[in-house]
C-alpha cells in the first residue's frame, strides 16, 4: 500500500501515541509495584483496560496499513467499549463490590455483554478461531447446561448471571489469574521487552552462534540454547518460534540441514523454553499461587525436569546435526549474521550489561527469597541502570557525544516499553477470557464431574487415568499460550489426579503443565510447528514428525512425575538428583533410539528396528517405572548396548586417525 506524506505523518503520530500509552501503562504498573497503594481488584481493572487499549492501538495501526476496513470498524468500537467499561467500573467500583453484589441495572448488563464480546473478538484476532470456539462452547454450556446429556447436565445460567460471573462481580475476566498476571507476571514481561529493546536478544543469539564453532552440530545446538533462553521469557511457543526461528531456521538450512529438521528443532526448542527456570513462561507464578507455595519452590521443582528436557533434546539435535551435515564442522563468521559487527570488548561489556540484572533476579529470588513482585521490580530498576549506564560510560570513555547516545537509549527504552506491552497484552486478554471460562466451569461443578468421570473411564487404573489426562490436557492446550493452557488443565485435570488417585499436588500440576505445553508440538494443531513450517518453507507433517522424534522423551516425562514424584516433590535433595539422573539416562536412551544417525549394530532392518524399539522401551521404563532397581537395570542395558554399538565406529575413527598421522609423518 502506497502512503502519501500526510498518511505517513499520521501513522508516525499514531505509533508515537501507542508508545506513549504503553509507557504510561508501565508507569502505572511500576507505581503500584512500588506503593501497592490500591486494592488488587481495582488495580487489575485499570491494568486490563490499559493494556487492552495499547493492544487495540497497535491493531488499529496494522489494520489501517493493511487496508482492513472491517477490522478498523471492529477495533474502533472495541476501543470505545473498553475505555467506557473501564471508566464506568472504576467510578462505580465501591458500589458494585460492596453494595450491589450479585445485582445490576439493565444497562450494566449491556455494558458487561459488550465488553465480554470485545474480549472474545480480541482473543480471536490474537489466537484464531480454534480458541474462540472453545470459549464460545463453554459460554453456551453455561447458558444451556440444562440441555447437556448425562452427568454434564446442570440448571443453566441466565444471561444476567453469566455477565455477573464474567464482569460485574469482578471475577471472571478480573479474577484471580488475571490478578496474578497484573501483579506478578507483567513486570517480567516488561523485563523481556527492555531486554529486546536494548538488544539482549541479539546478544543471546551471538552467544549461541559463537558456541557453534566448537561443536560439529553447533549451529543446531546454538538454535536450541538461544531459543530456550528467549522462550523462557516470552511465555508463548508461537511467539518464540517466530522471534528466534526467523534467524535460526534459515541459518541451519544454509549449513546444509533439511528444512523439516530445522523447523522441528526450532519448534521443540521454543516449546522447551516454557519449562526452563527461572521464569518458565509465566506458568510458574500461577502454579505457586494455585498451590499456595512459594515461587522458589516451583522453580526448584522445575530444575531437574528442565535438565532432562535439555539433555535429551541436545543429544537428539546433536545426532541430527552430525547426520545431515556428514559430521563436518561449519565455521561461522558470527558477526556477518548481524547488521552491526561487535568487537570482543563490546561483547564482554554487553554480557555484563545484561548479565547483572539477571544475576540480581536470581539472587533476590533464590537467596534473599523476596516476593516475586519485589524481585521483578529490582530487576527492572537494575535493567534500566545497566541499560543506560554501560553505553553512556563507554561513550564517555571513547569521547563520543553523551547527548546523542542518551537520546538513542531513550528510543531503545521506549521501544522496550512498547515491546513489553505487545508481549503482555495478548496474554492478559486471553487470560481474562480463560479466567471467565474457569469460573463458569467452577460454578457449574465441572471439575468434580470430570474427576468422577475420569475415575469411571479409567476403571480405577492409574495408568489409564494418566493416559486419558494426558490426551485431554493436550487437546485443551491446543493453540494457547503456556500460561492459558496451564490454567485450563490445572482447573479441570489436576484435581482429578489429586483427589481420585492421590497424586501429590505439585506432581499433578507439573504433569498437566508439561502435557498442555506439548500441544504446541502435537498435530493437527501444533502451533509451534505451524510457525516453524512457515519460516522453513517445509512440509507440515514431515516437520511435525521431526519435532515428535526430537521431543519424544518429553512426552514420557510427565508420567515420570506421577510414578516417581520425587523428581518434583521434596525439594532439591539427593533422592531427587539420583532419580533425575536415572530419568535423564532413560531420556537419552529414547533420543538415541529415535535419532541416532549411524548403524544400529547392522544395516539390516531386521536388526535396526528391533534395536530402536529396545532403546525406546528401555528408556521409557528407566524414566517411568516406580521401582528403582528395575530403572537401574534398564539404564545398565542402555549403556551396555550403546557401548557395543559405538565401539566399532570409535575404533574405526582411531584407526583412520593413526593411519593419517603415519602418512603425514612419512611425508615429512
Amino acid at each position: 500500500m502506497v502512503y502519501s506524506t500526510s498518511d505517513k505523518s499520521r501513522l508516525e503520530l499514531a505509533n508515537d501515541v501507542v508508545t506513549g500509552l504503553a509507557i504510561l501503562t508501565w508507569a502505572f504498573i511500576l507505581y503500584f509495584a512500588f506503593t501497592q497503594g490500591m486494592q488488587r481488584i481495582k488495580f487489575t481493572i485499570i491494568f486490563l483496560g490499559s493494556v487492552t487499549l495499547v493492544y487495540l492501538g497497535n491493531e488499529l495501526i496494522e489494520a489501517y496499513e493493511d487496508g482492513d476496513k472491517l477490522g478498523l470498524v471492529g477495533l474502533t468500537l472495541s476501543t470505545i467499549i473498553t475505555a467506557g467499561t473501564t471508566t464506568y467500573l472504576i467510578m462505580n467500583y465501591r458500589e458494585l463490590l460492596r453494595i450491589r453484589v450479585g445485582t445490576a441495572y439493565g444497562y450494566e448488563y449491556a455494558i458487561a455483554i459488550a465488553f465480554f464480546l470485545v474480549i472474545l473478538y480480541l482473543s480471536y484476532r490474537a489466537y484464531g478461531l480454534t480458541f474462540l470456539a472453545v470459549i464460545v462452547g463453554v459460554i453456551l454450556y453455561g447458558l444451556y447446561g440444562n440441555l447437556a446429556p448425562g452427568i454434564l447436565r446442570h440448571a443453566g445460567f441466565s444471561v444476567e448471571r453469566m455477565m455477573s460471573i464474567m464482569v460485574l462481580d469482578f471475577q471472571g475476566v478480573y479474577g484471580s489469574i488475571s490478578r496474578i498476571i497484573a501483579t506478578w507476571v507483567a513486570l517480567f514481561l516488561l523485563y523481556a521487552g527492555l531486554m529486546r529493546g536494548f538488544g539482549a536478544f541479539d546478544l543471546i543469539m551471538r552467544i549461541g552462534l559463537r558456541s557453534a564453532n566448537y561443536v560439529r552440530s553447533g549451529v543446531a545446538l546454538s538454535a536450541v540454547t538461544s531459543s530456550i533462553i528467549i522462550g523462557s521469557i516470552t511465555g508463548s511457543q508461537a511467539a518464540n518460534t517466530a522471534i528466534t526461528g526467523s534467524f535460526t531456521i534459515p541459518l541451519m538450512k544454509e549449513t546444509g540441514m533439511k528444512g523439516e529438521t530445522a523447523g522441528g528443532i526450532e519448534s521443540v526448542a521454543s516449546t522447551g523454553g516454557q519449562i526452563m527456570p527461572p521464569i518458565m513462561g509465566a506458568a510458574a507464578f500461577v502454579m505457586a499461587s494455585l498451590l499456595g507455595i512459594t515461587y522458589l519452590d516451583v522453580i526448584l521443582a522445575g530444575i531437574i525436569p528442565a535438565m532432562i528436557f535439555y539433555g535429551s533434546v541436545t543429544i537428539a539435535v546433536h545426532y541430527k546435526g552430525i547426520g545431515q551435515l556428514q559430521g563436518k564442522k561449519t565455521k561461522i563468521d558470527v558477526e556477518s549474521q548481524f547488521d552491526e559487527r561487535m568487537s570482543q570488548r563490546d561483547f564482554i561489556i554487553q554480557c555484563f550489561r545484561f548479565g547483572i540484572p539477571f544475576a540480581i533476579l536470581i539472587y533476590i529470588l533464590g537467596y534473599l527469597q523476596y516476593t516475586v513482585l519485589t524481585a521483578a521490580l529490582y530487576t527492572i530498576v537494575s535493567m534500566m541502570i545497566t541499560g543506560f549506564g554501560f553505553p553512556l560510560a563507554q561513550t564517555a570513555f571513547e569521547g563520543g557525544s553523551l547527548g546523542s547516545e542518551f537520546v538513542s537509549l531513550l528510543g531503545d527504552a521506549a521501544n522496550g516499553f512498547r515491546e513489553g506491552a505487545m508481549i503482555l497484552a495478548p496474554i492478559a486478554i486471553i487470560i481474562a477470557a480463560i479466567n471467565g471460562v474457569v469460573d463458569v466451569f467452577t460454578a457449574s461443578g465441572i471439575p468434580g464431574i470430570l474427576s468422577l468421570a475420569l475415575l469411571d473411564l479409567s476403571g480405577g487404573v492409574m495408568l489409564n487415568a494418566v493416559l486419558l489426562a494426558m490426551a485431554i490436557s493436550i487437546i485443551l492446550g491446543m493453540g494457547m499460550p503456556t500460561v492459558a493452557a496451564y490454567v485450563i488443565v490445572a482447573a479441570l485435570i489436576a484435581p482429578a489426579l489429586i483427589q481420585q488417585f492421590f497424586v501429590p499436588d505439585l506432581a499433578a500440576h507439573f504433569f498437566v503443565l508439561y502435557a498442555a505445553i506439548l500441544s504446541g508440538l502435537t498435530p493437527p494443531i501444533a502451533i509451534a510447528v505451524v510457525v516453524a513450517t512457515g519460516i522453513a518453507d517445509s512440509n507440515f507433517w514431515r516437520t511435525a514428525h521431526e519435532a515428535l522424534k526430537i521431543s519424544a522423551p518429553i512426552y514420557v516425562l510427565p508420567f515420570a512425575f506421577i510414578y516417581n514424584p520425587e523428581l518434583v516433590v521434596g525439594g532439591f535433595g539427593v533422592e531427587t538428583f539420583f532419580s533425575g539422573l536415572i530419568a535423564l539416562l532413560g531420556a537419552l536412551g529414547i533420543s538415541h533410539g529415535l535419532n541416532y544417525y549411524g548403524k544400529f549394530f547392522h544395516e539390516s532392518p531386521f536388526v535396526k528396528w528391533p534395536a530402536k524399539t529396545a532403546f525406546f522401551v528401555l528408556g521409557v521404563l528407566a524414566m517411568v517405572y516406580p521401582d528403582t532397581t528395575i530403572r537401574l537395570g534398564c539404564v545398565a542395558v542402555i549403556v551396555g548396548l550403546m557401548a557395543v554399538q559405538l565401539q566399532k565406529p570409535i575404533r574405526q575413527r582411531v584407526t583412520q586417525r593413526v593411519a593419517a598421522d603415519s602418512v603425514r609423518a612419512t611425508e615429512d
Side-chain angles (χ1 to χ4, degrees):
M1 187 173 179
V2 179
Y3 299 109
S4 65
T5 303
S6 59
D7 285 336
K8 290 180 179 179
S9 298
R10 282 195 289 269
L11 282 172
E12 289 175 0
L13 178 61
N15 275 298
D16 290 341
V17 169
V18 172
T19 301
L21 184 58
I23 293 172
L24 288 174
T25 298
W26 285 119
F28 169 70
I29 294 170
L30 288 168
Y31 167 78
F32 175 81
F34 270 111
T35 64
Q36 298 187 42
M38 67 175 66
Q39 292 181 332
R40 288 182 64 185
I41 298 176
K42 191 173 186 178
F43 169 71
T44 303
I45 296 169
I46 301 173
F47 164 83
L48 183 59
S50 299
V51 298
T52 302
L53 288 172
V54 173
Y55 182 72
L56 283 164
N58 190 71
E59 290 291 293
L60 279 165
I61 293 171
E62 291 186 1
Y64 179 78
E65 291 176 336
D66 295 339
D68 181 6
K69 294 181 180 179
L70 185 61
L72 283 171
V73 172
L75 291 167
T76 301
L77 287 174
S78 297
T79 302
I80 295 169
I81 292 169
T82 300
T85 302
T86 303
T87 302
Y88 183 85
L89 292 178
I90 291 300
M91 291 179 64
N92 296 274
Y93 173 74
R94 184 176 177 278
E95 184 176 354
L96 288 169
L97 183 68
R98 304 294 183 193
I99 300 174
R100 291 193 287 113
V101 180
T103 61
Y105 301 123
Y107 67 85
E108 290 176 332
Y109 289 122
I111 291 173
I113 291 171
F115 183 61
F116 190 69
L117 288 175
V118 168
I119 295 294
L120 292 180
Y121 174 60
L122 295 182
S123 298
Y124 164 71
R125 289 186 66 92
Y127 296 102
L129 190 60
T130 302
F131 178 70
L132 178 65
V134 171
I135 301 177
V136 171
V138 173
I139 299 303
L140 292 175
Y141 173 72
L143 292 172
Y144 302 106
N146 57 311
L147 303 178
I151 62 173
L152 296 177
R153 184 178 292 122
H154 66 92
F157 306 135
S158 64
V159 173
E160 291 79 5
R161 173 61 179 147
M162 181 69 73
M163 287 304 103
S164 293
I165 293 172
M166 289 294 182
V167 179
L168 297 174
D169 285 350
F170 300 126
Q171 295 302 314
V173 299
Y174 302 116
S176 59
I177 310 301
S178 291
R179 294 169 206 165
I180 294 170
I181 298 297
T183 55
W184 286 13
V185 177
L187 288 180
F188 281 93
L189 298 181
L190 173 58
Y191 174 46
L194 289 173
M195 286 181 69
R196 191 170 185 187
F198 284 131
F201 285 12
D202 276 358
L203 177 66
I204 293 169
M205 297 301 299
R206 278 185 164 94
I207 292 172
L209 289 178
R210 288 190 177 210
S211 67
N213 288 325
Y214 300 98
V215 186
R216 283 185 292 173
S217 56
V219 174
L221 290 178
S222 70
V224 171
T225 303
S226 55
S227 296
I228 284 176
I229 294 172
I230 294 173
S232 70
I233 299 170
T234 60
S236 170
Q237 297 155 288
N240 185 40
T241 306
I243 292 169
T244 59
S246 60
F247 184 92
T248 60
I249 291 175
L251 188 59
M252 283 188 277
K253 290 178 68 177
E254 284 177 17
T255 59
M257 188 167 283
K258 296 177 182 177
E260 289 82 6
T261 305
I265 290 171
E266 177 57 45
S267 57
V268 173
S270 295
T271 297
Q274 313 302 293
I275 54 177
M276 192 62 61
I279 298 179
M280 293 176 63
F285 305 109
V286 180
M287 187 184 295
S289 177
L290 293 178
L291 293 177
I293 59 179
T294 67
Y295 173 70
L296 182 61
D297 290 333
V298 176
I299 295 305
L300 290 176
I303 291 175
I304 292 296
M307 292 302 99
I308 295 170
F309 165 83
Y310 187 73
S312 63
V313 170
T314 296
I315 193 67
V317 170
H318 182 62
Y319 284 158
K320 293 289 184 184
I322 294 178
Q324 293 192 15
L325 303 178
Q326 292 81 44
K328 297 177 182 178
K329 288 173 68 174
T330 306
K331 190 71 175 178
I332 300 174
D333 180 5
V334 174
E335 297 307 319
S336 68
Q337 306 297 323
F338 298 89
D339 294 334
E340 296 181 5
R341 302 188 74 87
M342 182 182 291
S343 67
Q344 186 67 24
R345 188 188 69 169
D346 288 342
F347 177 79
I348 294 172
I349 290 173
Q350 289 293 91
C351 287
F352 278 105
R353 183 188 183 196
F354 297 111
I356 289 173
F358 188 73
I360 288 173
L361 170 63
I362 300 300
Y363 176 73
I364 293 175
L365 278 177
Y367 182 75
L368 297 181
Q369 297 188 27
Y370 287 179
T371 65
V372 173
L373 186 62
T374 303
L377 185 59
Y378 285 163
T379 303
I380 296 298
V381 172
S382 61
M383 183 72 256
M384 292 296 289
I385 292 172
T386 61
F388 277 87
F390 274 78
L392 289 174
Q394 189 175 359
T395 300
F397 179 77
E398 295 172 351
S401 171
L402 286 175
S404 298
E405 182 66 21
F406 184 73
V407 171
S408 176
L409 290 169
L410 282 177
D412 291 341
N415 289 334
F417 279 108
R418 178 166 177 165
E419 187 67 34
M422 290 303 105
I423 297 172
L424 170 64
I427 293 176
I429 290 166
I430 196 174
I431 284 298
I434 290 292
N435 216 145
V437 166
V438 170
D439 282 357
V440 170
F441 278 144
T442 302
S444 59
I446 279 293
I449 293 170
L450 193 60
S451 177
L452 293 173
L454 191 62
L455 179 64
D456 185 52
L457 289 171
S458 67
V461 178
M462 181 181 282
L463 179 60
N464 295 338
V466 292
L467 286 170
L468 283 169
M470 167 74 88
I472 295 170
S473 297
I474 289 175
I475 292 169
L476 291 175
M478 284 184 173
M480 295 189 191
T482 301
V483 66
Y486 167 66
V487 169
I488 285 286
V489 295
L492 297 180
I493 305 301
L497 297 176
I498 295 167
Q499 296 165 11
Q500 302 299 335
F501 295 94
F502 308 106
V503 175
D505 291 11
L506 198 55
H509 278 257
F510 264 89
F511 175 91
V512 297
L513 170 62
Y514 272 61
I517 288 173
L518 287 170
S519 64
L521 299 173
T522 307
I525 304 298
I527 186 65
V529 178
V530 169
V531 176
T533 298
I535 298 171
D537 192 23
S538 58
N539 177 272
F540 169 77
W541 292 103
R542 286 198 291 269
T543 305
H545 179 248
E546 289 292 314
L548 290 173
K549 287 200 298 182
I550 294 168
S551 63
I554 316 309
Y555 282 82
V556 179
L557 188 54
F559 298 98
F561 302 150
I562 301 296
Y563 290 99
N564 296 288
E566 69 276 2
L567 288 170
V568 291
V569 176
F572 197 69
V574 175
E575 183 184 13
T576 298
F577 179 80
F578 184 65
S579 182
L581 180 60
I582 297 174
L584 172 60
L585 293 172
L588 295 181
I590 295 174
S591 290
H592 180 80
L594 294 177
N595 300 285
Y596 182 60
Y597 58 94
K599 295 180 182 179
F600 279 85
F601 308 108
H602 197 277
E603 286 288 359
S604 170
F606 297 105
V607 176
K608 178 180 178 181
W609 292 109
K612 282 177 168 282
T613 302
F615 275 112
F616 181 82
V617 172
L618 289 168
V620 170
L621 291 174
M623 292 182 70
V624 175
Y625 202 81
D627 183 271
T628 302
T629 304
I630 299 295
R631 296 175 70 200
L632 284 172
C634 292
V635 167
V637 176
I638 290 171
V639 173
L641 288 174
M642 291 180 69
V644 173
Q645 180 186 358
L646 299 176
Q647 182 182 15
K648 185 177 179 180
I650 292 172
R651 189 166 60 246
Q652 287 176 340
R653 284 197 294 269
V654 171
T655 302
Q656 290 169 357
R657 186 173 299 171
V658 170
D661 291 342
S662 299
V663 171
R664 195 178 299 111
T666 303
E667 291 175 350
D668 293 340

